[in-house]
Amino acid sequence: MLDSPSSTAAARCAVITGATGGIGRATASALAAADWQLILTDRDESALTALTDELLSGGAPRVRTVVGDVLDATLGDRLASEVTAGGVALRGLVN
């Protein structure tokens, strides 16, 4: 579920799995353009790095990454740690 438009941009953060392709990539681009902070995850580290660079050069306020596969039982904990470490309130999850 995504934030309402009345939320401040600084408070909006979303986790996007499968971020480097298809719907994940399109969603990451759209949210970055709307000033959302992003935590991206994907199995392909080089594609994740390239997407992060693209989003940041396009003006995304903050992009963090976690390399991993959603089938890996540890990924959820690693994503939760990234959210906690970033000190943000999670407002969206795209899986």
Side-chain angles (χ1 to χ4, degrees):
M1 181 173 193
L2 300 179
D3 248 3
S4 68
S6 63
S7 298
T8 62
R12 296 184 298 182
C13 180
V15 170
I16 302 174
T17 65
T20 65
I23 293 170
R25 184 181 189 91
T27 304
S29 295
L31 291 179
D35 293 325
W36 282 64
Q37 296 181 32
L38 303 174
I39 301 171
L40 308 177
T41 187
D42 199 278
R43 295 178 294 186
D44 186 339
E45 185 172 10
S46 62
L48 202 53
T49 299
L51 176 59
T52 299
D53 292 345
E54 177 185 317
L55 295 172
L56 289 172
S57 68
R62 186 174 187 190
V63 180
R64 292 171 287 148
T65 62
V66 177
V67 177
D69 189 319
V70 294
L71 297 177
D72 178 353
T74 68
L75 182 61
D77 288 338
R78 292 187 293 134
L79 287 169
S81 293
E82 191 64 36
V83 170
T84 302
V88 296
L90 186 63
R91 302 287 185 220
L93 171 63
V94 180
N95 183 359

